[in-house]
Amino acid sequence: SAQGVQVRNIRFQPKSGVTAAFIGNSEDILFEYVDVLGGGSGISVEGSSNVFLRNFSVVGAMTNGVDLTDSYNTRVEYGTIWSNGAAQIALSMKSNELVVVNHCIMGSFGLRKPIYRMAVGSNNLVANFNNLYLGNGALAALATEKGFLREYNSLGRWSVVSGQDSHSLSHLPQFANAGAGDVHLKSSAGRFDPAIGGYVTEDSANE
């Protein structure tokens, strides 16, 4: 349990089967500039309120990238949640527990592996202005509705039926090296490199 904690500028590389970061029974928590590479699961939030995940990445976890359970007013913004083994974001929430997902790059790979995995009653998602990339039979969402699993196999279908992600995209981003956890975007127009304190250009073509 914690209150008013801010975690910044840290990278987790947990062992297989280990959750990188667990936020439980806490309030007013900020995770910013936090990167997770590998491990059992990425960031787990349970029984908490006013948790903000911003400018972060979770790449290559064995199970869920971000796991949200019974938490109120959780905001997931400006994140990269990519190629995690189960869902990119798993929600198990009550009807009055708001989750906002905005300006995130998310990619799911493998048959029926969803971007969003929504347990029964988790109809409190507000998501928009994201990029949802689906590879190798992945799903935009897998939701439990009236006792049955409902699959949303495209961003378009997910948006039309749920009303979510109506201004989101589904494009393959040009990461520098996602397999190594380097998910900064390539740009032939130039990007700011904090290591040198200036702008550099890169080949943004497919490799």
Side-chain angles (χ1 to χ4, degrees), residues 128-145:
N128 215 346
F129 305 105
N130 300 301
N131 186 66
L132 283 65
Y133 182 76
L134 312 177
N136 303 323
L139 303 173
L142 181 63
T144 303
E145 300 175 2

Side-chain angles (χ1 to χ4, degrees), residues 34-198:
V34 172
D35 297 317
V36 177
L37 178 61
S41 60
I43 300 172
S44 179
V45 181
E46 182 176 337
S48 299
S49 62
N50 301 323
V51 175
F52 297 83
L53 309 178
R54 289 181 180 151
N55 301 298
F56 70 99
S57 68
V58 181
V59 178
M62 291 178 62
T63 59
N64 298 320
V66 176
D67 205 335
L68 307 175
T69 304
D70 293 337
S71 295
Y72 178 76
N73 191 29
T74 306
R75 300 186 70 94
V76 182
E77 300 175 324
Y78 302 101
T80 300
I81 310 168
W82 193 260
S83 195
N84 298 290
Q88 305 314 303
I89 299 179
L91 300 97
S92 181
M93 315 291 279
K94 297 182 178 65
S95 60
N96 63 336
E97 295 169 342
L98 177 67
V99 177
V100 177
V101 180
N102 283 336
H103 305 288
C104 289
I105 299 174
M106 297 176 282
S108 200
F109 301 85
L111 187 63
R112 302 182 72 239
K113 292 184 178 181
I115 299 290
Y116 304 109
R117 173 65 177 99
M118 304 179 68
V120 62
S122 298
N123 56 355
N124 42 10
L125 174 68
V126 177
N128 215 346
F129 305 105
N130 300 301
N131 186 66
L132 283 65
Y133 182 76
L134 312 177
N136 303 323
L139 303 173
L142 181 63
T144 303
E145 300 175 2
K146 298 180 180 179
F148 296 93
L149 288 176
R150 183 168 187 176
E151 299 180 1
Y152 297 88
N153 60 4
S154 69
L155 171 61
R157 182 164 183 254
W158 163 245
S159 296
V160 168
V161 176
S162 71
Q164 303 297 330
D165 286 301
S166 60
H167 293 90
S168 294
L169 303 174
S170 185
H171 297 294
L172 179 63
Q174 298 301 319
F175 291 131
N177 189 349
D182 185 351
V183 290
H184 82 261
L185 296 172
K186 291 184 175 183
S187 173
S188 58
R191 65 174 179 86
F192 184 78
D193 185 349
I196 65 172

